[in-house]
């Protein structure tokens, strides 16, 4: 069947940020960062749990997704496999975030964030694998635009000293 074993597509984007790895790892543990970086392109409305959490922990979080806070595109599960509990434990190069996400339309939205120390700055890399049957190519194009948007917002946030 073509739809069941459709090819995965991947996005890999990096940027260099003028902040220490530990500081960025600490911020990545906060769902508020997801909201800030995704907005206004994509808005995550919590479904389960119904109220936003202060810090990510291992487990599933269900969200309604809205493009530009207007166009609903269904529910998405962020399935946290790894998050930083203690930023002091972050190595000089490590995966600090792993979301094995999925939705009704996208069977696999696997997102990992790697932070690497680079001359007292941080190289931030998004690794994303997408499998969505016949929707894989459009989902990949959206992911490319979305992660470029996120990294631009992250650059501005870091430059502003993480003043949300």
């Amino acid at each position: 069947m073509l739809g069941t074993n459709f090819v995965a597509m991947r996005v890999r984007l990096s940027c260099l940020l003028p902040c220490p790895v530990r500081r960025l790892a600490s911020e990545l543990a906060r769902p508020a960062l997801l909201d800030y970086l995704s907005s206004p392109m994509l808005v995550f409305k919590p479904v389960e749990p119904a109220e936003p959490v202060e810090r990510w922990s291992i487990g599933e979080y269900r969200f309604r997704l809205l493009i530009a806070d207007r166009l609903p595109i269904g529910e998405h599960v962020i399935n946290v496999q790894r998050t930083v509990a203690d930023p002091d434990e972050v190595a000089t190069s490590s995966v600090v975030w792993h979301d094995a996400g999925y939705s009704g339309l996208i069977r696999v939205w696997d997102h990992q964030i790697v932070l690497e120390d680079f001359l007292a700055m941080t190289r931030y890399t998004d690794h994303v694998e997408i499998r969505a049957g016949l929707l894989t190519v459009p989902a990949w194009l959206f992911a490319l635009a979305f992660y470029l948007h996120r990294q631009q917002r992250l650059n501005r946030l870091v430059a502003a000293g993480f003043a949300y």
Side-chain angles (χ1 to χ4, degrees):
M1 292 274 176
L2 180 64
T4 57
N5 293 321
F6 209 82
V7 173
M9 294 192 76
R10 293 176 179 83
V11 172
R12 180 177 180 205
L13 294 170
S14 295
C15 62
L16 193 58
L17 300 166
C19 70
V21 167
R22 285 187 175 95
R23 174 66 197 274
L24 187 52
S26 176
E27 291 295 324
L28 287 166
R30 301 177 56 227
L33 184 67
L34 169 70
D35 292 337
Y36 180 84
L37 296 181
S38 301
S39 177
M41 185 177 187
L42 192 60
V43 174
F44 289 77
K45 300 277 187 181
V47 173
E48 191 178 319
E51 295 298 320
V53 295
E54 183 66 28
R55 299 188 72 73
W56 295 110
S57 59
I58 304 303
E60 291 191 353
Y61 301 83
R62 186 172 301 277
F63 295 89
R64 279 185 330 120
L65 296 181
L66 295 107
I67 294 178
D69 205 15
R70 298 197 189 283
L71 179 63
I73 57 171
E75 288 190 357
H76 179 79
V77 174
I78 292 179
N79 183 11
V80 178
Q81 304 290 301
R82 174 162 174 65
T83 186
V84 175
D86 181 3
D88 289 332
E89 294 177 5
V90 175
T92 57
S93 175
S94 63
V95 174
V96 297
W97 170 263
H98 181 197
D99 162 29
Y102 60 92
S103 70
L105 295 174
I106 300 173
R107 284 188 301 276
V108 173
W109 187 285
D110 193 83
H111 177 212
Q112 294 185 40
I113 297 174
V114 176
L115 300 183
E116 299 171 89
D117 182 52
F118 185 78
L119 302 173
M121 295 185 289
T122 301
R123 183 188 336 255
Y124 170 99
T125 304
D126 286 304
H127 293 270
V128 186
E129 179 180 318
I130 299 160
R131 292 178 188 258
L134 295 174
L135 295 176
T136 299
V137 172
W140 175 81
L141 289 169
F142 178 83
L144 187 58
F146 178 63
Y147 287 101
L148 283 168
H149 167 79
R150 280 176 45 111
Q151 287 190 14
Q152 288 172 347
R153 298 223 0 128
L154 182 58
N155 266 292
R156 287 194 298 266
L157 183 64
V158 169
F162 290 98
Y164 288 75

